[in-house]
Amino acid sequence: MSLGSVPLKYKISIDRDQCMKCMRCVDNCSYGVYRIEDDKILIDSRKCTACHRCISMCPRDAINLQEKPVDYRSHPLWTAEAREDVINQARTGKIILAGMGNARDYPIIFDRLVLDACQVTNPSIDPLREPMELRTYIGKKPAKLEFTKNNGDVELKTKLAPNLKLDTPIMIGHMSYGAISLNAQLSLAKAVAKTGTFMGTGEGGMHESIYPYQNHTIVQIASGRFGVDINYLERGAAIEIKVGQGAKPGIGGHLPGEKVCSDVSCTRMIPLGSDAISPAPHHDIYSIEDLAQLVRSLKEATNWEKPVFVKIAAVHNVAAIAAGIARSDADAVVVDGFKGGTGAAPKVFRDNVGIPIEAAIAAVDEKLNEQGIRNKVSLIASGGIRNSADITKSIALGADAVYIGTASLIALGCRVCGNCYRGLCPWGIATQKQELVDRIDPEIGSENVANLINAWTLEISELMGAAGLNSIESLRGNRERLRGYMLDQGLLDVLKIESVGA
Amino acid sequence: MEPLVIDVKGMHYTPLNKIIREAVASGIKEIVLNNVLGQRFIGNGVRGDAKITINGVPGGDLGMFMSGPECEIFGNAEHAPGNTMDYGSLIIHGSAGDAVAHSMRGGKVFVKGNIGYRGGIHMKEYEGKRPILVVGGTSHAFLGEYMAGGLILVLGIGQEPTIQDRGIGSGIHGGEIVIRGDVNEKLLGVGAKKVEFNEDDLARLTPVIKDFCERFDIDSSQFLDTNYSRIIPASSRPFAGKYTWE
């Protein structure tokens, strides 16, 4: 017996009085929702992903989208999603693939944290007329500084480890060429060059278009070693070993062959159309000692001139893992929370595995401090960071800087429709179809992303000034500037913050 | 030009590699390292066409990211020689540890003796670059796991059968694994399949077999027949059918 079809997720309608049949909706929808028949625009709502491209491009605001126009009998346990997943898997027997970040309605800890502000006795600082120091250095810091005196001059004796110099604590996380388009990646690269910060290449090699911005890129090495050779390592300002990812902790990456076009095959150094499989483990890493060997081999290959980051997913024992990484000679630990985005992940992982970044960062910072090794690594938070308040709170919980991912894509047009894995992104982001890729102008895209980074940097300055701080150094790990609102005592203990009113 | 001879006894790998890198950059074509004992990363990221002779036992990640040089090792090698090697060759006159030729994307690794687990894992090829791993003895489990290109040849000298460990070619989606004699199908990993090794294959592999044998002064004629098992991917898209859309 057939399982039949499930109700529409979205219902598209056109106000025919407004519509002037300009056909922009037909041209813009890469999912095939619209077609022309007998001079009439027909709609197949079942194909809609709510990407909003048609709505954004309609000059007459004639298109309307309604979510879940038909639903099942309501039930608190057997939600529509639960039922539809069962139907899908009963029909196919396969793993459900999903895009973007965790789509479950977990409480957002960031929204239960409130920042402090100065009042009468301790004046706030006005960033309009006072210098605010947001410059951030990522890398090892010496436990102490030693100097030598030479005929009255003082010289630094301590040898400093290589650090990345950021003008803002905001970086763009790793999204590979392959997962996203070249124009999307180019927009991000131009944006970080404009704003004095860095972006990650992801595990996809580096396309030659990115070479002019290589001093602002962090190259990634993952288990598949795609696109990795000595030239690639030397091009990056820093190197990141990807061990885990917040959207899919414990599993690897898999770029399907459909996305491996000629340019992608060239940067990844794999045959055209072949799958790019990055298994979960690095097969030369089975211990912290092995990780240390990979960290050192990367440093050795690049003459000990580049910081090496290690990225892990936020999981239950993340603090102990990070402490091990800090001892592996790595210069920074990237902790990616379970609301982090992805081009594709098994839905069951995306929505159920890992822990929130807020708790992970606090736990890691605490553990590194307890062990007296916090100076050995910088701490980068990522995974579900939506605004400058999330960034400020992350830093107050102990992060040195953050990676943003989805937010930077939204600045390029992304509407978080979650269909990245299909390769049909109508905004030209998660696709390799040239006609779609061309929808992004890297100059305009970079302006939008740079605007976002600049706006958030201004807001962070204002939040710091309001709290009486004029240096990001004074905000870092400053939990006194945070209070928990409606959080249980257990979580307050993990975050090492007090409750509101305390 | 006189070879550069270095006694590396007690030397740390970083100054050693610095000397090698500067020597190769200055045009020295032959370097001899004596008393090597566990120094890791020898030849790491070095570019050029020099010959590096290693007398002793190098540590892990020998020739990692290396592009060009030939290293001849008169001794055993620790784990992962040829890791992500781009081009060049490692000629090992002994045995080697785990993850030999991990993600190697060009050049060749010849091991006269045996190798450990996960040999040739994730080897891959692109355009003109086709990496080659030849093992004179045997290999442990997961040989050629996730292999995406290139050639692994195991001759099984002194071994009967050549390989007894499982997981051969788990997740293989490119390249080929050729093993002397018959291989029990139970030893094959998911995604691997055994096919006939024919005269055309022998003609294709004869230069590789002869090259290997010449390097170690072994009579190649005993290997120039079709008594091999050829293991290739069951599909170039092994996981294409695993997923459905949300």
Side-chain angles (χ1 to χ4, degrees), chain A residues 224-225 231 234 275 284, chain B residues 47 83 105 124 237 244-245:
Chain A
R225 306 284 201 268
N231 299 323
E234 285 183 347
D275 281 9
D284 48 358
Chain B
R47 281 177 284 217
N83 192 346
R105 57 174 68 259
K124 46 181 65 71
R237 306 280 321 276
T244 182
W245 290 345

Side-chain angles (χ1 to χ4, degrees), chain A residues 7-14 16 33-34 43-50 54-55 63-70:
Chain A
L8 299 175
K9 272 187 180 170
Y10 313 103
K11 173 75 177 168
I12 291 279
S13 57
I14 297 177
R16 304 285 174 182
V33 171
Y34 303 96
I43 302 166
D44 183 353
S45 289
R46 196 164 288 282
K47 292 178 177 171
C48 179
T49 65
C54 57
I55 293 171
I63 299 171
N64 185 42
L65 187 155
Q66 190 187 355
E67 189 165 5
K68 287 194 194 311
V70 181

Side-chain angles (χ1 to χ4, degrees), chain A residues 392 395-396 460 464 469 471-478 481:
Chain A
T392 310
I395 295 170
I460 294 167
M464 281 168 46
L469 307 173
S471 163
I472 200 99
E473 301 277 338
S474 305
L475 175 66
R476 187 172 309 132
N478 190 343
R481 301 296 168 195

Side-chain angles (χ1 to χ4, degrees), chain A residues 9 88 92 94-99 221 223-231 233-234 254 256-258 265-266 268-271 273 275 277 279 283-284 286 293-294 296-298 300-301 303-304 346-347 350 418 421-422, chain B residues 12-18 21 40-41 44-47 59-61 64-67 79-80 83-84 86 99 102-103 105 118 121-122 124-126 129 145-146 148 171 173 236-246:
Chain A
K9 272 187 180 170
N88 189 352
T92 63
K94 295 178 180 180
I95 294 170
I96 300 175
L97 204 58
I221 171 165
S223 66
R225 306 284 201 268
F226 294 112
V228 178
D229 63 10
I230 186 64
N231 299 323
L233 297 176
E234 285 183 347
H254 177 195
E258 292 92 338
S265 83
C266 172
R268 293 203 176 216
M269 304 176 194
I270 54 172
D275 281 9
I277 300 168
H283 292 289
D284 48 358
Y286 282 84
Q293 176 146 329
L294 181 57
R296 289 180 185 132
S297 72
L298 290 164
E300 187 72 16
N303 211 22
W304 295 77
K347 184 179 178 186
R350 185 194 69 176
Y421 51 89
R422 290 175 62 182
Chain B
H12 188 269
Y13 55 77
T14 300
L16 172 59
N17 269 326
K18 196 173 175 201
R21 204 167 281 132
R40 297 172 182 177
F41 316 134
N44 192 343
V46 174
R47 281 177 284 217
D61 289 333
M64 191 171 187
F65 308 119
M66 190 176 80
S67 187
H79 81 270
N83 192 346
T84 325
D86 188 53
H102 178 339
S103 293
R105 57 174 68 259
R118 311 187 300 282
I121 187 165
H122 244 299
K124 46 181 65 71
E125 66 186 65
Y126 177 64
K129 282 188 179 165
E145 192 177 32
Y146 288 116
H173 53 290
S236 63
R237 306 280 321 276
F239 306 118
K242 196 175 170 184
Y243 302 105
T244 182
W245 290 345
E246 187 179 14

Side-chain angles (χ1 to χ4, degrees), chain A residues 375-440:
Chain A
N375 64 303
K376 286 182 180 289
V377 280
S378 290
L379 189 50
I380 300 164
S382 68
I385 288 171
R386 307 155 295 167
N387 51 48
S388 62
D390 288 356
I391 297 169
T392 310
K393 291 169 187 176
S394 297
I395 295 170
L397 286 169
D400 291 83
V402 301
Y403 272 156
I404 60 167
T406 304
S408 65
L409 301 185
I410 294 171
L412 290 175
C414 169
R415 298 296 203 262
V416 198
C417 77
N419 280 256
C420 326
Y421 51 89
R422 290 175 62 182
L424 291 171
C425 176
W427 293 89
I429 301 168
T431 178
Q432 301 306 327
K433 287 183 173 290
Q434 196 57 49
E435 67 274 20
L436 301 176
V437 174
D438 289 343
R439 293 180 179 182
I440 294 182

Side-chain angles (χ1 to χ4, degrees), chain A residues 95-392:
Chain A
I95 294 170
I96 300 175
L97 204 58
M100 304 308 298
N102 192 318
R104 284 274 177 89
D105 188 22
Y106 291 99
I108 299 166
I109 301 174
F110 279 131
D111 292 345
R112 303 281 179 92
L113 299 176
V114 285
L115 287 155
D116 191 19
C118 294
Q119 295 300 311
V120 178
T121 55
N122 181 25
S124 49
I125 298 169
D126 181 1
L128 284 175
R129 59 180 174 81
E130 300 288 343
M132 303 297 287
E133 185 60 88
L134 271 76
R135 181 162 293 161
T136 301
Y137 288 90
I138 300 293
K140 288 183 190 304
K141 311 294 185 298
K144 62 175 183 178
L145 291 173
E146 290 183 313
F147 301 90
T148 52
K149 287 184 180 172
N150 188 12
N151 290 335
D153 288 339
V154 175
E155 287 181 11
L156 184 64
K157 187 178 164 191
T158 309
K159 192 172 182 298
L160 298 176
N163 272 228
L164 289 190
K165 183 176 129 189
L166 282 60
D167 290 339
T168 170
I170 306 165
M171 294 187 283
I172 295 178
H174 289 259
M175 293 172 280
S176 69
Y177 174 40
I180 63 171
S181 69
L182 188 57
N183 279 0
Q185 208 181 49
L186 198 50
S187 302
L188 302 178
K190 285 170 181 274
V192 292
K194 283 175 188 173
T195 52
T197 185
F198 294 82
M199 64 166 273
T201 59
E203 193 209 14
M206 190 191 288
H207 190 274
E208 60 184 16
S209 306
I210 308 294
Y211 291 176
Y213 313 98
Q214 64 188 33
N215 293 338
H216 291 273
T217 64
I218 301 159
V219 295
Q220 193 176 62
I221 171 165
S223 66
R225 306 284 201 268
F226 294 112
V228 178
D229 63 10
I230 186 64
N231 299 323
Y232 170 75
L233 297 176
E234 285 183 347
R235 281 202 176 93
I239 301 167
E240 179 170 306
I241 300 167
K242 176 191 164 185
V243 174
Q245 184 178 346
K248 39 185 172 179
I251 62 169
H254 177 195
L255 186 73
E258 292 92 338
K259 280 187 159 184
V260 182
C261 64
S262 61
D263 248 13
V264 171
S265 83
C266 172
T267 60
R268 293 203 176 216
M269 304 176 194
I270 54 172
L272 188 72
S274 74
D275 281 9
I277 300 168
S278 263
H282 287 246
H283 292 289
D284 48 358
I285 304 177
Y286 282 84
S287 64
I288 287 291
E289 289 77 15
D290 285 351
L291 174 67
Q293 176 146 329
L294 181 57
V295 169
R296 289 180 185 132
S297 72
L298 290 164
K299 293 189 172 194
E300 187 72 16
T302 51
N303 211 22
W304 295 77
E305 290 170 354
K306 297 175 194 295
V308 174
F309 301 179
V310 177
K311 175 179 168 179
I312 52 172
V315 289
H316 299 176
N317 58 343
V318 64
I321 297 163
I325 292 168
R327 291 182 167 85
S328 75
D329 226 357
D331 299 273
V333 181
V334 182
V335 183
D336 197 20
F338 87 147
K339 300 216 170 177
T342 179
K347 184 179 178 186
V348 68
F349 274 79
R350 185 194 69 176
D351 292 350
N352 295 285
V353 184
I355 65 169
I357 189 60
E358 302 92 320
I361 283 295
V364 169
D365 181 56
E366 186 67 15
K367 177 73 84 180
L368 297 178
N369 277 317
E370 269 174 21
Q371 297 189 357
I373 53 174
R374 181 63 181 84
N375 64 303
K376 286 182 180 289
V377 280
S378 290
L379 189 50
I380 300 164
S382 68
I385 288 171
R386 307 155 295 167
N387 51 48
S388 62
D390 288 356
I391 297 169
T392 310

